PDB file of all heavy atoms in Angstrom:
ATOM      1  N   ASP A  22     -16.119 -13.376   6.447  1.00 62.00           N
ATOM      2  CA  ASP A  22     -17.080 -13.388   5.347  1.00 62.00           C
ATOM      3  C   ASP A  22     -16.401 -13.673   4.015  1.00 62.00           C
ATOM      4  O   ASP A  22     -17.010 -14.236   3.098  1.00 62.00           O
ATOM      5  CB  ASP A  22     -17.809 -12.036   5.265  1.00 62.00           C
ATOM      6  CG  ASP A  22     -18.733 -11.808   6.448  1.00 62.00           C
ATOM      7  OD1 ASP A  22     -19.043 -12.791   7.144  1.00 62.00           O
ATOM      8  OD2 ASP A  22     -19.127 -10.639   6.670  1.00 62.00           O
ATOM      9  N   ALA A  23     -15.114 -13.266   3.919  1.00 58.00           N
ATOM     10  CA  ALA A  23     -14.364 -13.505   2.682  1.00 58.00           C
ATOM     11  C   ALA A  23     -13.775 -14.911   2.645  1.00 58.00           C
ATOM     12  O   ALA A  23     -13.099 -15.278   1.682  1.00 58.00           O
ATOM     13  CB  ALA A  23     -13.245 -12.476   2.541  1.00 58.00           C
ATOM     14  N   GLY A  24     -13.983 -15.673   3.719  1.00 56.00           N
ATOM     15  CA  GLY A  24     -13.495 -17.042   3.719  1.00 56.00           C
ATOM     16  C   GLY A  24     -12.123 -17.216   4.297  1.00 56.00           C
ATOM     17  O   GLY A  24     -11.510 -18.274   4.137  1.00 56.00           O
ATOM     18  N   GLY A  25     -11.593 -16.199   4.985  1.00 51.00           N
ATOM     19  CA  GLY A  25     -10.255 -16.307   5.560  1.00 51.00           C
ATOM     20  C   GLY A  25     -10.310 -16.412   7.054  1.00 51.00           C
ATOM     21  O   GLY A  25     -11.267 -15.985   7.695  1.00 51.00           O
ATOM     22  N   GLY A  26      -9.283 -16.995   7.656  1.00 50.00           N
ATOM     23  CA  GLY A  26      -9.188 -17.092   9.104  1.00 50.00           C
ATOM     24  C   GLY A  26      -8.101 -16.179   9.596  1.00 50.00           C
ATOM     25  O   GLY A  26      -7.169 -15.851   8.871  1.00 50.00           O
ATOM     26  N   ALA A  27      -8.184 -15.782  10.844  1.00 47.00           N
ATOM     27  CA  ALA A  27      -7.188 -14.869  11.394  1.00 47.00           C
ATOM     28  C   ALA A  27      -6.641 -15.356  12.727  1.00 47.00           C
ATOM     29  O   ALA A  27      -6.014 -14.606  13.438  1.00 47.00           O
ATOM     30  CB  ALA A  27      -7.799 -13.485  11.566  1.00 47.00           C
ATOM     31  N   GLU A  28      -6.864 -16.642  13.036  1.00 46.00           N
ATOM     32  CA  GLU A  28      -6.420 -17.134  14.325  1.00 46.00           C
ATOM     33  C   GLU A  28      -4.913 -17.108  14.494  1.00 46.00           C
ATOM     34  O   GLU A  28      -4.387 -17.045  15.602  1.00 46.00           O
ATOM     35  CB  GLU A  28      -6.921 -18.568  14.532  1.00 46.00           C
ATOM     36  CG  GLU A  28      -8.426 -18.665  14.758  1.00 46.00           C
ATOM     37  CD  GLU A  28      -9.222 -18.572  13.462  1.00 46.00           C
ATOM     38  OE1 GLU A  28      -8.597 -18.524  12.391  1.00 46.00           O
ATOM     39  OE2 GLU A  28     -10.461 -18.539  13.532  1.00 46.00           O
ATOM     40  N   ASP A  29      -4.173 -17.189  13.392  1.00 45.00           N
ATOM     41  CA  ASP A  29      -2.715 -17.237  13.491  1.00 45.00           C
ATOM     42  C   ASP A  29      -2.079 -15.866  13.418  1.00 45.00           C
ATOM     43  O   ASP A  29      -0.863 -15.737  13.373  1.00 45.00           O
ATOM     44  CB  ASP A  29      -2.131 -18.125  12.386  1.00 45.00           C
ATOM     45  CG  ASP A  29      -2.467 -17.613  10.990  1.00 45.00           C
ATOM     46  OD1 ASP A  29      -3.261 -16.656  10.874  1.00 45.00           O
ATOM     47  OD2 ASP A  29      -1.926 -18.172  10.017  1.00 45.00           O
ATOM     48  N   GLY A  30      -2.889 -14.816  13.352  1.00 43.00           N
ATOM     49  CA  GLY A  30      -2.348 -13.465  13.336  1.00 43.00           C
ATOM     50  C   GLY A  30      -2.001 -12.955  11.955  1.00 43.00           C
ATOM     51  O   GLY A  30      -1.421 -11.892  11.806  1.00 43.00           O
ATOM     52  N   THR A  31      -2.346 -13.709  10.904  1.00 45.00           N
ATOM     53  CA  THR A  31      -2.056 -13.270   9.551  1.00 45.00           C
ATOM     54  C   THR A  31      -3.300 -12.658   8.927  1.00 45.00           C
ATOM     55  O   THR A  31      -4.420 -12.883   9.382  1.00 45.00           O
ATOM     56  CB  THR A  31      -1.591 -14.442   8.668  1.00 45.00           C
ATOM     57  OG1 THR A  31      -2.654 -15.412   8.599  1.00 45.00           O
ATOM     58  CG2 THR A  31      -0.353 -15.089   9.266  1.00 45.00           C
ATOM     59  N   VAL A  32      -3.091 -11.889   7.864  1.00 45.00           N
ATOM     60  CA  VAL A  32      -4.213 -11.331   7.104  1.00 45.00           C
ATOM     61  C   VAL A  32      -4.386 -12.184   5.867  1.00 45.00           C
ATOM     62  O   VAL A  32      -3.499 -12.247   5.021  1.00 45.00           O
ATOM     63  CB  VAL A  32      -3.935  -9.869   6.699  1.00 45.00           C
ATOM     64  CG1 VAL A  32      -5.086  -9.342   5.867  1.00 45.00           C
ATOM     65  CG2 VAL A  32      -3.731  -9.016   7.936  1.00 45.00           C
ATOM     66  N   PRO A  33      -5.513 -12.892   5.719  1.00 42.00           N
ATOM     67  CA  PRO A  33      -5.691 -13.811   4.612  1.00 42.00           C
ATOM     68  C   PRO A  33      -5.962 -13.095   3.307  1.00 42.00           C
ATOM     69  O   PRO A  33      -6.314 -11.914   3.306  1.00 42.00           O
ATOM     70  CB  PRO A  33      -6.919 -14.626   5.040  1.00 42.00           C
ATOM     71  CG  PRO A  33      -7.709 -13.669   5.872  1.00 42.00           C
ATOM     72  CD  PRO A  33      -6.683 -12.836   6.602  1.00 42.00           C
ATOM     73  N   PRO A  34      -5.854 -13.815   2.159  1.00 37.00           N
ATOM     74  CA  PRO A  34      -6.200 -13.221   0.869  1.00 37.00           C
ATOM     75  C   PRO A  34      -7.669 -12.824   0.862  1.00 37.00           C
ATOM     76  O   PRO A  34      -8.501 -13.424   1.543  1.00 37.00           O
ATOM     77  CB  PRO A  34      -5.916 -14.356  -0.119  1.00 37.00           C
ATOM     78  CG  PRO A  34      -4.975 -15.260   0.602  1.00 37.00           C
ATOM     79  CD  PRO A  34      -5.351 -15.171   2.050  1.00 37.00           C
ATOM     80  N   GLY A  35      -7.998 -11.806   0.061  1.00 42.00           N
ATOM     81  CA  GLY A  35      -9.377 -11.354  -0.020  1.00 42.00           C
ATOM     82  C   GLY A  35      -9.739 -10.483   1.169  1.00 42.00           C
ATOM     83  O   GLY A  35      -8.944 -10.211   2.048  1.00 42.00           O
ATOM     84  N   GLY A  36     -11.007 -10.054   1.230  1.00 47.00           N
ATOM     85  CA  GLY A  36     -11.474  -9.273   2.368  1.00 47.00           C
ATOM     86  C   GLY A  36     -10.616  -8.054   2.611  1.00 47.00           C
ATOM     87  O   GLY A  36     -10.446  -7.207   1.754  1.00 47.00           O
ATOM     88  N   VAL A  37     -10.074  -7.940   3.833  1.00 51.00           N
ATOM     89  CA  VAL A  37      -9.272  -6.774   4.198  1.00 51.00           C
ATOM     90  C   VAL A  37      -8.055  -6.646   3.311  1.00 51.00           C
ATOM     91  O   VAL A  37      -7.690  -5.557   2.873  1.00 51.00           O
ATOM     92  CB  VAL A  37      -8.837  -6.892   5.673  1.00 51.00           C
ATOM     93  CG1 VAL A  37      -7.928  -5.736   6.043  1.00 51.00           C
ATOM     94  CG2 VAL A  37     -10.057  -6.901   6.569  1.00 51.00           C
ATOM     95  N   ALA A  38      -7.388  -7.748   3.035  1.00 47.00           N
ATOM     96  CA  ALA A  38      -6.177  -7.676   2.218  1.00 47.00           C
ATOM     97  C   ALA A  38      -6.475  -7.151   0.828  1.00 47.00           C
ATOM     98  O   ALA A  38      -5.696  -6.387   0.261  1.00 47.00           O
ATOM     99  CB  ALA A  38      -5.518  -9.056   2.125  1.00 47.00           C
ATOM    100  N   ALA A  39      -7.604  -7.573   0.265  1.00 50.00           N
ATOM    101  CA  ALA A  39      -7.936  -7.137  -1.087  1.00 50.00           C
ATOM    102  C   ALA A  39      -8.251  -5.652  -1.131  1.00 50.00           C
ATOM    103  O   ALA A  39      -7.798  -4.932  -2.024  1.00 50.00           O
ATOM    104  CB  ALA A  39      -9.128  -7.939  -1.615  1.00 50.00           C
ATOM    105  N   ASP A  40      -9.038  -5.167  -0.159  1.00 50.00           N
ATOM    106  CA  ASP A  40      -9.458  -3.771  -0.165  1.00 50.00           C
ATOM    107  C   ASP A  40      -8.401  -2.833   0.381  1.00 50.00           C
ATOM    108  O   ASP A  40      -8.318  -1.682  -0.006  1.00 50.00           O
ATOM    109  CB  ASP A  40     -10.733  -3.596   0.662  1.00 50.00           C
ATOM    110  CG  ASP A  40     -11.962  -4.099  -0.072  1.00 50.00           C
ATOM    111  OD1 ASP A  40     -11.905  -4.189  -1.309  1.00 50.00           O
ATOM    112  OD2 ASP A  40     -12.954  -4.404   0.593  1.00 50.00           O
ATOM    113  N   VAL A  41      -7.596  -3.321   1.339  1.00 54.00           N
ATOM    114  CA  VAL A  41      -6.681  -2.464   2.071  1.00 54.00           C
ATOM    115  C   VAL A  41      -5.221  -2.712   1.723  1.00 54.00           C
ATOM    116  O   VAL A  41      -4.425  -1.800   1.596  1.00 54.00           O
ATOM    117  CB  VAL A  41      -6.905  -2.642   3.597  1.00 54.00           C
ATOM    118  CG1 VAL A  41      -5.869  -1.863   4.379  1.00 54.00           C
ATOM    119  CG2 VAL A  41      -8.298  -2.201   3.979  1.00 54.00           C
ATOM    120  N   GLY A  42      -4.848  -3.955   1.564  1.00 53.00           N
ATOM    121  CA  GLY A  42      -3.440  -4.288   1.370  1.00 53.00           C
ATOM    122  C   GLY A  42      -2.820  -3.621   0.157  1.00 53.00           C
ATOM    123  O   GLY A  42      -1.723  -3.078   0.232  1.00 53.00           O
ATOM    124  N   HIS A  43      -3.552  -3.648  -0.965  1.00 56.00           N
ATOM    125  CA  HIS A  43      -3.001  -3.033  -2.174  1.00 56.00           C
ATOM    126  C   HIS A  43      -2.864  -1.528  -2.001  1.00 56.00           C
ATOM    127  O   HIS A  43      -1.908  -0.909  -2.463  1.00 56.00           O
ATOM    128  CB  HIS A  43      -3.897  -3.352  -3.381  1.00 56.00           C
ATOM    129  CG  HIS A  43      -3.951  -4.801  -3.725  1.00 56.00           C
ATOM    130  ND1 HIS A  43      -2.844  -5.607  -3.693  1.00 56.00           N
ATOM    131  CD2 HIS A  43      -4.985  -5.595  -4.097  1.00 56.00           C
ATOM    132  CE1 HIS A  43      -3.191  -6.842  -4.042  1.00 56.00           C
ATOM    133  NE2 HIS A  43      -4.480  -6.855  -4.281  1.00 56.00           N
ATOM    134  N   ARG A  44      -3.835  -0.907  -1.334  1.00 62.00           N
ATOM    135  CA  ARG A  44      -3.775   0.536  -1.092  1.00 62.00           C
ATOM    136  C   ARG A  44      -2.586   0.869  -0.201  1.00 62.00           C
ATOM    137  O   ARG A  44      -1.869   1.839  -0.438  1.00 62.00           O
ATOM    138  CB  ARG A  44      -5.089   0.989  -0.443  1.00 62.00           C
ATOM    139  CG  ARG A  44      -5.149   2.478  -0.136  1.00 62.00           C
ATOM    140  CD  ARG A  44      -6.540   2.855   0.321  1.00 62.00           C
ATOM    141  NE  ARG A  44      -6.582   4.192   0.883  1.00 62.00           N
ATOM    142  CZ  ARG A  44      -6.684   5.299   0.173  1.00 62.00           C
ATOM    143  NH1 ARG A  44      -6.700   5.233  -1.141  1.00 62.00           N
ATOM    144  NH2 ARG A  44      -6.733   6.478   0.766  1.00 62.00           N
ATOM    145  N   ALA A  45      -2.370   0.041   0.832  1.00 63.00           N
ATOM    146  CA  ALA A  45      -1.237   0.268   1.720  1.00 63.00           C
ATOM    147  C   ALA A  45       0.068   0.148   0.952  1.00 63.00           C
ATOM    148  O   ALA A  45       1.001   0.931   1.165  1.00 63.00           O
ATOM    149  CB  ALA A  45      -1.267  -0.743   2.865  1.00 63.00           C
ATOM    150  N   GLU A  46       0.148  -0.814   0.045  1.00 73.00           N
ATOM    151  CA  GLU A  46       1.362  -1.000  -0.734  1.00 73.00           C
ATOM    152  C   GLU A  46       1.617   0.202  -1.634  1.00 73.00           C
ATOM    153  O   GLU A  46       2.769   0.631  -1.806  1.00 73.00           O
ATOM    154  CB  GLU A  46       1.234  -2.278  -1.574  1.00 73.00           C
ATOM    155  CG  GLU A  46       2.552  -2.815  -2.091  1.00 73.00           C
ATOM    156  CD  GLU A  46       2.408  -4.227  -2.591  1.00 73.00           C
ATOM    157  OE1 GLU A  46       1.430  -4.513  -3.317  1.00 73.00           O
ATOM    158  OE2 GLU A  46       3.274  -5.066  -2.281  1.00 73.00           O
ATOM    159  N   LEU A  47       0.558   0.775  -2.189  1.00 77.00           N
ATOM    160  CA  LEU A  47       0.714   1.960  -3.030  1.00 77.00           C
ATOM    161  C   LEU A  47       1.211   3.140  -2.215  1.00 77.00           C
ATOM    162  O   LEU A  47       2.092   3.884  -2.656  1.00 77.00           O
ATOM    163  CB  LEU A  47      -0.612   2.297  -3.718  1.00 77.00           C
ATOM    164  CG  LEU A  47      -0.615   3.563  -4.593  1.00 77.00           C
ATOM    165  CD1 LEU A  47       0.456   3.465  -5.679  1.00 77.00           C
ATOM    166  CD2 LEU A  47      -1.990   3.785  -5.205  1.00 77.00           C
ATOM    167  N   PHE A  48       0.677   3.339  -1.013  1.00 74.00           N
ATOM    168  CA  PHE A  48       1.148   4.424  -0.157  1.00 74.00           C
ATOM    169  C   PHE A  48       2.617   4.228   0.195  1.00 74.00           C
ATOM    170  O   PHE A  48       3.397   5.180   0.227  1.00 74.00           O
ATOM    171  CB  PHE A  48       0.307   4.510   1.120  1.00 74.00           C
ATOM    172  CG  PHE A  48      -0.912   5.372   0.977  1.00 74.00           C
ATOM    173  CD1 PHE A  48      -2.168   4.804   0.898  1.00 74.00           C
ATOM    174  CD2 PHE A  48      -0.801   6.747   0.913  1.00 74.00           C
ATOM    175  CE1 PHE A  48      -3.297   5.594   0.771  1.00 74.00           C
ATOM    176  CE2 PHE A  48      -1.915   7.550   0.788  1.00 74.00           C
ATOM    177  CZ  PHE A  48      -3.174   6.965   0.714  1.00 74.00           C
ATOM    178  N   GLN A  49       2.994   2.984   0.491  1.00 78.00           N
ATOM    179  CA  GLN A  49       4.392   2.711   0.818  1.00 78.00           C
ATOM    180  C   GLN A  49       5.286   3.025  -0.372  1.00 78.00           C
ATOM    181  O   GLN A  49       6.369   3.596  -0.225  1.00 78.00           O
ATOM    182  CB  GLN A  49       4.549   1.258   1.239  1.00 78.00           C
ATOM    183  CG  GLN A  49       5.940   0.924   1.781  1.00 78.00           C
ATOM    184  CD  GLN A  49       6.030  -0.504   2.274  1.00 78.00           C
ATOM    185  OE1 GLN A  49       5.042  -1.241   2.276  1.00 78.00           O
ATOM    186  NE2 GLN A  49       7.211  -0.900   2.688  1.00 78.00           N
ATOM    187  N   ALA A  50       4.838   2.647  -1.583  1.00 85.00           N
ATOM    188  CA  ALA A  50       5.607   2.935  -2.794  1.00 85.00           C
ATOM    189  C   ALA A  50       5.739   4.443  -3.004  1.00 85.00           C
ATOM    190  O   ALA A  50       6.811   4.938  -3.383  1.00 85.00           O
ATOM    191  CB  ALA A  50       4.930   2.289  -3.998  1.00 85.00           C
ATOM    192  N   GLN A  51       4.661   5.208  -2.745  1.00 82.00           N
ATOM    193  CA  GLN A  51       4.726   6.663  -2.864  1.00 82.00           C
ATOM    194  C   GLN A  51       5.809   7.234  -1.946  1.00 82.00           C
ATOM    195  O   GLN A  51       6.591   8.099  -2.357  1.00 82.00           O
ATOM    196  CB  GLN A  51       3.392   7.286  -2.470  1.00 82.00           C
ATOM    197  CG  GLN A  51       2.294   7.180  -3.495  1.00 82.00           C
ATOM    198  CD  GLN A  51       1.027   7.809  -2.973  1.00 82.00           C
ATOM    199  OE1 GLN A  51       0.042   7.146  -2.697  1.00 82.00           O
ATOM    200  NE2 GLN A  51       1.034   9.114  -2.831  1.00 82.00           N
ATOM    201  N   GLY A  52       5.832   6.762  -0.714  1.00 83.00           N
ATOM    202  CA  GLY A  52       6.828   7.256   0.230  1.00 83.00           C
ATOM    203  C   GLY A  52       8.241   6.962  -0.218  1.00 83.00           C
ATOM    204  O   GLY A  52       9.137   7.805  -0.089  1.00 83.00           O
ATOM    205  N   MET A  53       8.460   5.781  -0.771  1.00 88.00           N
ATOM    206  CA  MET A  53       9.801   5.403  -1.226  1.00 88.00           C
ATOM    207  C   MET A  53      10.247   6.264  -2.404  1.00 88.00           C
ATOM    208  O   MET A  53      11.391   6.732  -2.455  1.00 88.00           O
ATOM    209  CB  MET A  53       9.822   3.919  -1.588  1.00 88.00           C
ATOM    210  CG  MET A  53       9.626   3.002  -0.383  1.00 88.00           C
ATOM    211  SD  MET A  53       9.453   1.253  -0.812  1.00 88.00           S
ATOM    212  CE  MET A  53      11.136   0.885  -1.395  1.00 88.00           C
ATOM    213  N   VAL A  54       9.325   6.504  -3.354  1.00 90.00           N
ATOM    214  CA  VAL A  54       9.666   7.325  -4.519  1.00 90.00           C
ATOM    215  C   VAL A  54       9.874   8.775  -4.102  1.00 90.00           C
ATOM    216  O   VAL A  54      10.754   9.473  -4.631  1.00 90.00           O
ATOM    217  CB  VAL A  54       8.577   7.203  -5.600  1.00 90.00           C
ATOM    218  CG1 VAL A  54       8.819   8.209  -6.735  1.00 90.00           C
ATOM    219  CG2 VAL A  54       8.543   5.789  -6.161  1.00 90.00           C
ATOM    220  N   MET A  55       9.098   9.246  -3.132  1.00 87.00           N
ATOM    221  CA  MET A  55       9.266  10.601  -2.624  1.00 87.00           C
ATOM    222  C   MET A  55      10.680  10.801  -2.086  1.00 87.00           C
ATOM    223  O   MET A  55      11.332  11.812  -2.371  1.00 87.00           O
ATOM    224  CB  MET A  55       8.246  10.872  -1.516  1.00 87.00           C
ATOM    225  CG  MET A  55       8.298  12.288  -0.953  1.00 87.00           C
ATOM    226  SD  MET A  55       7.087  12.586   0.353  1.00 87.00           S
ATOM    227  CE  MET A  55       7.936  11.826   1.730  1.00 87.00           C
ATOM    228  N   VAL A  56      11.163   9.828  -1.330  1.00 88.00           N
ATOM    229  CA  VAL A  56      12.512   9.911  -0.775  1.00 88.00           C
ATOM    230  C   VAL A  56      13.564   9.778  -1.878  1.00 88.00           C
ATOM    231  O   VAL A  56      14.562  10.506  -1.905  1.00 88.00           O
ATOM    232  CB  VAL A  56      12.714   8.820   0.297  1.00 88.00           C
ATOM    233  CG1 VAL A  56      14.164   8.778   0.747  1.00 88.00           C
ATOM    234  CG2 VAL A  56      11.803   9.084   1.492  1.00 88.00           C
ATOM    235  N   GLN A  57      13.357   8.853  -2.807  1.00 91.00           N
ATOM    236  CA  GLN A  57      14.330   8.622  -3.878  1.00 91.00           C
ATOM    237  C   GLN A  57      14.539   9.871  -4.735  1.00 91.00           C
ATOM    238  O   GLN A  57      15.676  10.194  -5.107  1.00 91.00           O
ATOM    239  CB  GLN A  57      13.855   7.461  -4.765  1.00 91.00           C
ATOM    240  CG  GLN A  57      13.931   6.092  -4.097  1.00 91.00           C
ATOM    241  CD  GLN A  57      13.235   5.017  -4.912  1.00 91.00           C
ATOM    242  OE1 GLN A  57      12.893   5.224  -6.090  1.00 91.00           O
ATOM    243  NE2 GLN A  57      13.008   3.862  -4.299  1.00 91.00           N
ATOM    244  N   LEU A  58      13.443  10.580  -5.034  1.00 92.00           N
ATOM    245  CA  LEU A  58      13.525  11.708  -5.953  1.00 92.00           C
ATOM    246  C   LEU A  58      13.521  13.067  -5.258  1.00 92.00           C
ATOM    247  O   LEU A  58      13.730  14.089  -5.910  1.00 92.00           O
ATOM    248  CB  LEU A  58      12.359  11.645  -6.950  1.00 92.00           C
ATOM    249  CG  LEU A  58      12.285  10.402  -7.844  1.00 92.00           C
ATOM    250  CD1 LEU A  58      11.078  10.498  -8.770  1.00 92.00           C
ATOM    251  CD2 LEU A  58      13.565  10.236  -8.655  1.00 92.00           C
ATOM    252  N   GLY A  59      13.261  13.075  -3.956  1.00 90.00           N
ATOM    253  CA  GLY A  59      13.208  14.344  -3.239  1.00 90.00           C
ATOM    254  C   GLY A  59      12.050  15.212  -3.683  1.00 90.00           C
ATOM    255  O   GLY A  59      12.185  16.438  -3.807  1.00 90.00           O
ATOM    256  N   VAL A  60      10.875  14.590  -3.918  1.00 87.00           N
ATOM    257  CA  VAL A  60       9.697  15.324  -4.381  1.00 87.00           C
ATOM    258  C   VAL A  60       8.591  15.165  -3.346  1.00 87.00           C
ATOM    259  O   VAL A  60       8.723  14.452  -2.354  1.00 87.00           O
ATOM    260  CB  VAL A  60       9.228  14.801  -5.757  1.00 87.00           C
ATOM    261  CG1 VAL A  60      10.303  15.048  -6.802  1.00 87.00           C
ATOM    262  CG2 VAL A  60       8.876  13.307  -5.686  1.00 87.00           C
ATOM    263  N   SER A  61       7.463  15.844  -3.563  1.00 82.00           N
ATOM    264  CA  SER A  61       6.325  15.739  -2.661  1.00 82.00           C
ATOM    265  C   SER A  61       5.645  14.389  -2.835  1.00 82.00           C
ATOM    266  O   SER A  61       5.847  13.695  -3.836  1.00 82.00           O
ATOM    267  CB  SER A  61       5.320  16.856  -2.938  1.00 82.00           C
ATOM    268  OG  SER A  61       4.711  16.653  -4.208  1.00 82.00           O
ATOM    269  N   ILE A  62       4.779  14.035  -1.870  1.00 74.00           N
ATOM    270  CA  ILE A  62       4.069  12.771  -1.949  1.00 74.00           C
ATOM    271  C   ILE A  62       3.129  12.752  -3.148  1.00 74.00           C
ATOM    272  O   ILE A  62       2.949  11.733  -3.811  1.00 74.00           O
ATOM    273  CB  ILE A  62       3.304  12.495  -0.636  1.00 74.00           C
ATOM    274  CG1 ILE A  62       2.929  11.015  -0.523  1.00 74.00           C
ATOM    275  CG2 ILE A  62       2.091  13.380  -0.489  1.00 74.00           C
ATOM    276  CD1 ILE A  62       4.062  10.110  -0.175  1.00 74.00           C
ATOM    277  N   GLY A  63       2.534  13.921  -3.473  1.00 74.00           N
ATOM    278  CA  GLY A  63       1.671  14.005  -4.643  1.00 74.00           C
ATOM    279  C   GLY A  63       2.436  13.824  -5.940  1.00 74.00           C
ATOM    280  O   GLY A  63       1.974  13.144  -6.861  1.00 74.00           O
ATOM    281  N   GLU A  64       3.632  14.428  -6.022  1.00 83.00           N
ATOM    282  CA  GLU A  64       4.467  14.277  -7.206  1.00 83.00           C
ATOM    283  C   GLU A  64       4.929  12.834  -7.351  1.00 83.00           C
ATOM    284  O   GLU A  64       5.031  12.303  -8.462  1.00 83.00           O
ATOM    285  CB  GLU A  64       5.671  15.217  -7.118  1.00 83.00           C
ATOM    286  CG  GLU A  64       6.683  15.074  -8.256  1.00 83.00           C
ATOM    287  CD  GLU A  64       6.130  15.459  -9.624  1.00 83.00           C
ATOM    288  OE1 GLU A  64       5.074  16.134  -9.671  1.00 83.00           O
ATOM    289  OE2 GLU A  64       6.758  15.090 -10.639  1.00 83.00           O
ATOM    290  N   ALA A  65       5.213  12.178  -6.219  1.00 84.00           N
ATOM    291  CA  ALA A  65       5.640  10.781  -6.265  1.00 84.00           C
ATOM    292  C   ALA A  65       4.553   9.912  -6.889  1.00 84.00           C
ATOM    293  O   ALA A  65       4.825   9.051  -7.735  1.00 84.00           O
ATOM    294  CB  ALA A  65       5.989  10.289  -4.871  1.00 84.00           C
ATOM    295  N   LEU A  66       3.292  10.139  -6.478  1.00 78.00           N
ATOM    296  CA  LEU A  66       2.194   9.369  -7.060  1.00 78.00           C
ATOM    297  C   LEU A  66       2.044   9.662  -8.540  1.00 78.00           C
ATOM    298  O   LEU A  66       1.807   8.748  -9.346  1.00 78.00           O
ATOM    299  CB  LEU A  66       0.884   9.687  -6.327  1.00 78.00           C
ATOM    300  CG  LEU A  66      -0.362   8.981  -6.867  1.00 78.00           C
ATOM    301  CD1 LEU A  66      -0.198   7.469  -6.815  1.00 78.00           C
ATOM    302  CD2 LEU A  66      -1.606   9.409  -6.096  1.00 78.00           C
ATOM    303  N   ALA A  67       2.227  10.927  -8.934  1.00 81.00           N
ATOM    304  CA  ALA A  67       2.134  11.282 -10.351  1.00 81.00           C
ATOM    305  C   ALA A  67       3.208  10.548 -11.169  1.00 81.00           C
ATOM    306  O   ALA A  67       2.943  10.074 -12.283  1.00 81.00           O
ATOM    307  CB  ALA A  67       2.274  12.792 -10.523  1.00 81.00           C
ATOM    308  N   ARG A  68       4.421  10.463 -10.620  1.00 87.00           N
ATOM    309  CA  ARG A  68       5.506   9.753 -11.312  1.00 87.00           C
ATOM    310  C   ARG A  68       5.178   8.266 -11.460  1.00 87.00           C
ATOM    311  O   ARG A  68       5.440   7.663 -12.511  1.00 87.00           O
ATOM    312  CB  ARG A  68       6.811   9.915 -10.543  1.00 87.00           C
ATOM    313  CG  ARG A  68       7.314  11.345 -10.412  1.00 87.00           C
ATOM    314  CD  ARG A  68       7.864  11.888 -11.711  1.00 87.00           C
ATOM    315  NE  ARG A  68       8.500  13.186 -11.512  1.00 87.00           N
ATOM    316  CZ  ARG A  68       9.805  13.358 -11.337  1.00 87.00           C
ATOM    317  NH1 ARG A  68      10.615  12.321 -11.338  1.00 87.00           N
ATOM    318  NH2 ARG A  68      10.311  14.569 -11.166  1.00 87.00           N
TER     319      ARG A  68
END
């Protein structure tokens, strides 16, 4: 519906990537900062 194809196994721009991809990237960043600073996941997001 967003105009992307998935036959090649990739996630196209828009649609799922727009709604989900950025959120996934933020969660991944939280985890990395949590490890870097030795803080909780909530504190990592606050930082």
Side-chain angles (χ1 to χ4, degrees):
D22 292 344
E28 289 79 5
D29 60 353
T31 61
V32 178
V37 176
D40 284 338
V41 174
H43 295 319
R44 180 172 168 83
E46 198 165 45
L47 178 57
F48 272 107
Q49 188 176 357
Q51 283 179 249
M53 293 173 69
V54 172
M55 182 180 80
V56 172
Q57 289 170 13
L58 299 180
V60 297
S61 68
I62 198 75
E64 176 65 17
L66 178 59
R68 298 287 188 97

